[in-house]
Amino acid sequence: MASDTSATLWKNLRVVPAGWTAGIPELQDMRVQEGRIRWMGSAGTAPTGPAGEDTRDAHGAVVTPGLIDCHTHLVFGGHRAAEFAQRLAGASYEEISRAGGGIVSSVRATRAQSEDELFIQAVRRLDALRAEGVTAVEIKSGYGLNLEAERKMLRVARRLGVARPITVRTTFLGAHALPPEYAGRPDDYIDQVCQVMLPALHDEGLVDAVDVFCERIGFTLAQSERVFQAAVDCGLPVKMHAEQLSLMGGAALAARYKALSADHLEYLDEAGVVALRDAGTVAVLLPGAYYFLRETQLPPVDLLRRHGVPIALATDSNPGTSPNTSLLMVLNMACTLFRMTVGEALDAVTVHAAKALGCPQVTGRLQVGDRADFVIWDVDDPAELAYWIGLPRCREVVWQGAASGAVTGPRHS
């Protein structure tokens, strides 16, 4: 979708800056042209704009950068509600996985569906995110686990970015689980991922980054490093599902490869935190999975704070461990479960999530020169974004300078 090339002066915005902690932001005006912010300043002080400039009055509404969901698995077939019931009856995630459930059950369903069928299901999930102010999203593969099915998933992800006004970044997660046809032969499968699948999908322009699930029920450090090296050979950045169920040293490995992010991190230790800091790697926390799996091991938020590691949050939207399409719910979970402040949580789905996304055009900020991706909220205080549960608060979404609908009159409370 092309950006809006006309000029628009947005008036009376209460723009929430990065690093916000409390209070109601002052009123500002903002000029947008050709999809970018060209001027910002105190309300009523805008210089004369170009002929024909449109004027929009937000009537003092709270405005944030467009939200960024930097870790999702939106494209998949079927669901795993039966496994949810099994866990409620006492089975662990690992037990279900080792019995042929878990990721492999989603692989069977995904392989069985056509590209069009997967698209129809995924676009509903994407629209739910968009309705809550998400303007950029990462979508992983990983439920295909062979070249044909992984290609199908990534093609759907690319289609989503064309069909809707949203930035979509794709991540190849071929090393998500061991497919049944490679049972007992994980190294052979990693050969397939590194030597066949990744080069082919990269050549087809379907891959923006590469991820790997480094865990006891996933892949070893050595196998994960082989995937990272293959990504480097293709000139692609890396990410890692790390330290979710145990401390394996995955975060430190991700840091050695200057990964965009290391994600989950419940079992991360201080040495791993320091490694992430030194590498500039973002720690992506996923409270939806923590909640849904009823985990008790909290990620080391205090250590991450102490060492200055940027923290991002994401839905981890997936069929097995986080069937969640509400990034606002994730804000609430991060504050209540992980004891993050509202300001930390807002930065975690804007400026820090942008760094984890790895798309230069998406900054998660609202400054002169930045792309005009922002959300107008029907709230009086930014803290309400993490406070309300289930009450729609998103009034209007602007992506690349183009508004999704009209702002009509003052807010209601």
Side-chain angles (χ1 to χ4, degrees):
M1 180 175 178
S3 62
D4 190 347
T5 58
S6 62
T8 302
L9 181 65
W10 291 86
K11 300 176 63 177
N12 298 312
L13 310 170
R14 297 191 184 277
V15 177
V16 182
W20 175 86
T21 55
I24 310 302
E26 296 294 322
L27 288 173
Q28 290 184 280
D29 293 347
M30 178 170 64
R31 175 168 285 122
V32 173
Q33 190 170 17
E34 296 180 338
R36 293 195 173 272
I37 300 170
R38 302 303 182 187
W39 177 88
M40 290 184 72
S42 298
T45 67
T48 301
E53 177 177 74
D54 188 19
T55 300
R56 305 287 301 278
D57 194 336
H59 302 280
V62 168
V63 174
T64 67
L67 305 188
I68 300 162
D69 197 351
C70 63
H71 181 132
T72 84
H73 306 253
L74 282 182
V75 179
F76 57 85
H79 62 79
R80 281 154 53 191
E83 293 179 14
F84 174 58
Q86 286 179 273
R87 283 200 301 274
L88 294 177
S92 72
Y93 179 58
E94 288 192 50
E95 288 169 344
I96 292 170
S97 295
R98 295 190 187 282
I103 293 168
V104 173
S105 65
S106 290
V107 170
R108 289 192 294 269
T110 301
R111 288 180 176 181
Q113 291 193 333
S114 70
E115 183 177 316
D116 287 342
E117 288 170 329
L118 291 172
F119 176 84
I120 289 168
Q121 295 173 57
V123 78
R124 293 180 61 191
R125 296 186 277 266
L126 183 68
D127 283 345
L129 292 174
R130 291 179 54 247
E132 289 193 347
V134 173
T135 58
V137 62
E138 183 248 25
I139 301 177
K140 302 179 191 294
S141 67
Y143 293 124
L145 306 188
N146 62 34
L147 179 56
E148 178 184 359
E150 290 287 299
R151 176 188 286 122
K152 179 171 60 176
M153 293 185 69
L154 292 167
R155 284 174 55 86
V156 169
R158 287 283 195 239
R159 282 178 61 184
L160 292 170
V162 174
R164 294 293 188 266
I166 191 169
T167 300
V168 172
R169 299 288 280 183
T170 59
T171 297
F172 172 59
L173 181 56
H176 195 193
L178 191 64
E181 61 269 26
Y182 280 89
R185 298 186 294 128
D187 287 318
D188 290 344
Y189 179 63
I190 293 297
D191 286 343
Q192 180 74 5
V193 167
C194 297
Q195 298 171 17
V196 178
M197 296 164 68
L198 176 55
L201 297 170
H202 174 53
D203 287 347
E204 294 169 26
L206 294 174
V207 182
D208 296 320
V210 176
D211 198 347
V212 60
F213 183 33
C214 182
E215 190 51 75
R216 293 174 305 197
I217 59 172
F219 296 95
T220 66
L221 281 172
Q223 291 161 349
S224 299
E225 185 162 17
R226 289 174 59 196
V227 175
F228 279 1
Q229 189 56 58
V232 169
D233 292 343
C234 291
L236 293 168
V238 299
K239 304 182 172 195
M240 179 180 275
H241 287 58
E243 331 295 17
Q244 180 185 8
L245 305 173
S246 62
L247 178 60
M248 289 186 57
L253 174 63
R256 290 209 303 276
Y257 280 81
K258 306 294 183 185
L260 291 172
S261 68
D263 303 30
H264 285 290
L265 303 177
E266 281 86 342
Y267 285 83
L268 181 65
D269 63 2
E270 188 163 13
V273 170
V274 171
L276 296 180
R277 178 201 65 194
D278 292 347
T281 296
V282 178
V284 178
L285 306 185
L286 304 170
Y290 175 90
Y291 162 82
F292 199 72
L293 292 174
R294 298 190 295 179
E295 293 288 355
T296 57
Q297 176 78 24
L298 286 164
V301 173
D302 285 339
L303 280 176
L304 294 167
R305 283 191 189 114
R306 187 184 314 157
H307 289 284
V309 177
I311 300 173
L313 295 167
T315 62
D316 190 18
S317 185
N318 77 77
T321 63
S322 188
N324 178 16
T325 54
S326 173
L327 195 55
L328 294 182
M329 175 62 83
V330 167
L331 292 183
N332 181 276
M333 288 179 170
C335 294
T336 57
L337 299 177
F338 294 172
R339 303 296 190 264
M340 292 176 66
T341 69
V342 175
E344 287 173 330
L346 288 175
D347 282 351
V349 295
T350 53
V351 63
H352 297 328
K355 187 177 180 183
L357 191 72
C359 177
Q361 296 299 312
V362 177
T363 64
R365 304 171 307 187
L366 293 177
Q367 297 178 3
V368 173
D370 287 335
R371 203 168 78 178
D373 296 348
F374 59 93
V375 187
I376 299 174
W377 299 97
D378 195 8
V379 301
D380 297 307
D381 187 321
E384 292 182 67
L385 298 178
Y387 164 77
W388 294 107
I389 300 175
L391 182 64
R393 299 276 82 178
C394 178
R395 194 208 302 178
E396 186 161 16
V397 180
V398 176
W399 179 73
Q400 295 192 19
S404 63
V407 175
T408 54
R411 304 182 321 284
H412 62 273
S413 295

